[in-house]
Amino acid sequence: MKLNNEYLIPFTGLKLGKHQFAFEIKNDFLKSLDCEEFNDCNISLNLTLDKKSTLMELEFSFSGTVNVPCDLTMEDFDLPIKGENKLLVKFGDEYNDDDDQILILPHSAFEMDIKQYVYEIIVLSVPFKRIHPGVKDGTLKSEILDKLKELSPKKEKTKEKDQETDPMWDKLKKLLTDK
């Protein structure tokens, strides 16, 4: 992973209080992380950094689209995503990111790279199953969908089987209704 100054937050020069940062996340962000899961992305990310005397609170909020292949048809489509995440930054003797909600930076740190956190919240906001909206509403025409319909099990009309019942069950049902 290459270090990019765009995602470095120099917090030592900031005053106590809230500070706003805005990022536009595009395809070059994905390429710099060697991410092949998404074809493209267009995401607006807002970061609120609340600097306090002993710690910092980071609030990420984002919305936009990622271009992904459909799990059924393999057709690419823009999937809308949005979300929020919080990260608490404390200071200690050494760097520790074992907890996904708390980051510990060494006392000597003067900036932090948020690139990996941005990537993780984007990836975690994408649903596990990605279905093209055209499949859901029936407007997408695809050879794969036609083949799936052709190979799906056929439902047979069995009215005669439904009407015929076992005489033993009829007698038991009669016991329930007779009082």
Side-chain angles (χ1 to χ4, degrees), residues 9-16 19 21 49 51:
I9 306 290
F11 54 82
T12 54
L14 299 176
K15 295 180 181 179
L16 296 180
H19 304 276
F21 299 91
L49 185 144
K51 185 176 179 184

Side-chain angles (χ1 to χ4, degrees), residues 87-88 94-105 117 120:
L87 178 66
L88 188 65
E94 60 185 36
Y95 181 86
N96 186 348
D97 65 349
D98 291 342
D99 191 345
D100 61 343
Q101 298 292 319
I102 300 173
L103 171 65
I104 299 175
L105 293 176
Y117 294 101
E120 288 175 5

Side-chain angles (χ1 to χ4, degrees), residues 25-26 29-30 37-38 40-45 61-68 77-84 117-130:
I25 299 165
K26 303 285 184 189
F29 176 80
L30 298 175
E37 185 176 347
F38 309 130
D40 195 10
C41 70
N42 185 13
I43 300 170
S44 296
L45 177 110
S61 69
F62 64 94
S63 64
T65 60
V66 291
N67 189 279
V68 293
F77 71 101
D78 288 332
L79 178 69
I81 61 169
K82 65 178 180 177
E84 295 179 351
Y117 294 101
V118 170
Y119 172 72
E120 288 175 5
I121 62 175
I122 290 171
V123 169
L124 291 174
S125 68
V126 175
F128 183 68
K129 191 171 186 179
R130 300 172 285 205

Side-chain angles (χ1 to χ4, degrees), residues 1-5 7 28 31-34 113 115:
M1 181 172 72
K2 295 185 288 186
L3 196 61
N4 189 343
N5 290 338
Y7 299 98
D28 57 341
K31 286 181 182 178
S32 69
L33 291 167
D34 296 327
D113 189 7
K115 189 173 195 174

